[in-house]
Amino acid sequence: MRFIFVFLLMAFGWSADSLAQLNNVAFPFSYLNTNIKSLSLGNATVSLNGIGHDEITPAVAGEKGVIQVAPIWRNDSWTLRKSWKTRGLKMNYRTGSSNFGFSFHHYATNEQESTALFYVPFIYKYNHDEIHLATRYSYSFQSGLTVGTGLNYMYSSEGDGYASRNQKTKAADAWTLDIGANYQFSDISFSQVTFQPHVGIALTDFGMPSRYVESNSSNPMPATLRIGGGTNISFNKKVDGREVLELSVMQNVSKIMARTIQKPHENEMHVDAMNPFKALIKSWGAYEYVANGSEKKADLAEQLWWHSGMELVFLESIAVRLGYQKAGKAEEQLSYWSLGAGIDLYYVVLDYTHINIKNYNNVFLKPHWQITGRIPLDGQRPDTILDILSN
């Protein structure tokens, strides 16, 4: 069956392993970052404190005494599939030094015209649902260090077996763990310029394998290690108490820490997931994969993903962002440029990103809007950029 599947992909010009490690993981959507600000910064946000970055690291710190809520609502059309819907909600609340977060994602496909012509594990699904629930907790020390952890639950209505109109498949679920830390250095001032350096590290989606697609094979979780840093630059000039201009630059590197191994089973070779603890050690070696019908190898340098981001903020309210993600050799079709913008009206924050990517049918990367709401529990109403412009 797998041979037939590979043959069909090659016949239509696609590689069965075009996403390499992401092609072999269970619940690939847990890798997806739905935060628009982070996407527009090339996902270079492992060292940032703020809402939404918990999909990159659980070590985030929200605004004290304020509930922040970001709904997720997307409808995508995709090749050979009638519809793809994403629904969800993210929220966090900070009290004292503790920050609590929760997120819910529901991914649903409508009827698809073919079950064979895609290149990631959910291709085997027919009219299925996936649900991701995540809880987060982080603690910020006075030293500038924030540490965080997260627990994720993932459910798929269709698991083992190749899905078709006449075949029943089992549901699959899994638990994964996120851990992370970031450190905000003390401000460094030179004349009219102030630097605020920060660094961060995180390991996300770490968990035991799941029998996600084939009953005779297991799939690893998309465990990802990220590390990086950056600096915020303020030019110490204010208007109505607001910084006129702030610049942030970030550089991150990430690596997928998932591995599969081949094992004999009833005179056939099947792919099984490597133990996740063993994969943390073995993932630093060369990675062999198949692309366009030929075996290829990616050394360590070619497995690294590079993330770069830059943001300009005017009057602490209007932001312009530029980002670049360079994916590893085996997943290079997930590389992209992005241009984003945002406006902070305090109670409501609007963000947009435009993704420049060659494969426009890639469901992992789509340009879209995001709206974030703030609910201050102290009842106070701060001035917004609209108040300043109207005076």
Side-chain angles (χ1 to χ4, degrees), residues 241-307:
R242 290 172 175 259
E243 296 282 352
V244 174
L245 181 65
E246 297 174 281
L247 171 66
S248 297
V249 290
M250 292 144 279
Q251 180 64 55
N252 291 186
V253 62
S254 67
K255 187 180 185 307
I256 300 173
M257 308 296 288
R259 280 292 188 272
T260 56
I261 54 178
Q262 289 189 337
K263 289 184 177 180
H265 179 81
E266 297 180 354
N267 299 321
E268 293 182 0
M269 295 298 293
H270 289 273
V271 175
D272 274 331
M274 185 180 293
N275 179 283
F277 293 96
K278 185 176 181 181
L280 290 179
I281 301 174
K282 295 291 186 179
S283 292
W284 300 100
Y287 177 68
E288 297 180 354
Y289 63 101
V290 177
N292 298 321
S294 61
E295 293 185 0
K296 295 188 177 183
K297 179 183 291 187
D299 59 27
L300 177 58
E302 294 171 321
Q303 296 174 49
L304 300 179
W305 294 42
W306 295 95
H307 313 269

Side-chain angles (χ1 to χ4, degrees), residues 42 45 59-60 80 82 110-111 123 143 146 167 198 234 241 257 264 304-306 316 319 346:
T45 53
V60 298
L80 301 179
K82 292 184 178 178
N110 202 337
E111 181 180 354
I123 61 176
S143 63
T146 299
Q167 180 180 359
H198 44 82
S234 300
M257 308 296 288
L304 300 179
W305 294 42
W306 295 95
E316 302 179 15
Y346 189 75

Side-chain angles (χ1 to χ4, degrees), residues 42 45 63 131 137 148 155 179 181 190 226 232 310 315 324 369 375:
T45 53
E63 188 174 344
I131 296 175
Y137 174 77
Y155 168 85
I179 56 174
F190 295 98
R226 297 178 174 89
N232 302 329
M310 182 178 69
L315 297 175
Y324 176 60
W369 288 89
I375 306 173

Side-chain angles (χ1 to χ4, degrees), residues 56 101 221 239 378:
I56 298 293
M221 296 297 127
V239 173
D378 57 10

Side-chain angles (χ1 to χ4, degrees), residues 43 264 276:
N43 290 321

Side-chain angles (χ1 to χ4, degrees), residues 93-213:
Y93 175 71
R94 184 180 180 187
T95 174
S97 299
S98 296
N99 188 72
F100 302 88
F102 171 80
S103 65
F104 165 78
H105 292 80
H106 176 215
Y107 305 98
T109 64
N110 202 337
E111 181 180 354
Q112 65 185 54
E113 299 176 12
S114 171
T115 60
L117 302 179
F118 299 93
Y119 43 73
V120 283
F122 61 82
I123 61 176
Y124 301 93
K125 307 308 183 65
Y126 170 78
N127 205 24
H128 82 290
D129 296 90
E130 288 198 11
I131 296 175
H132 295 175
L133 297 173
T135 58
R136 304 279 187 261
Y137 174 77
S138 62
Y139 186 87
S140 298
F141 297 89
Q142 292 184 352
S143 63
L145 174 67
T146 299
V147 294
T149 185
L151 183 64
N152 311 298
Y153 173 73
M154 290 168 283
Y155 168 85
S156 176
S157 61
E158 294 182 348
D160 296 344
Y162 290 87
S164 67
R165 295 178 184 271
N166 301 317
Q167 180 180 359
K168 282 189 174 182
T169 56
K170 295 180 180 179
D173 62 357
W175 294 88
T176 62
L177 180 69
D178 299 341
I179 56 174
N182 64 49
Y183 185 76
Q184 311 289 314
F185 292 90
S186 299
D187 294 356
I188 303 173
S189 297
F190 295 98
S191 184
Q192 298 299 312
V193 180
T194 299
F195 295 86
Q196 299 172 308
H198 44 82
V199 295
I201 185 172
L203 176 65
T204 55
D205 289 316
F206 182 80
M208 299 304 294
S210 173
R211 298 203 178 277
Y212 183 77
V213 176

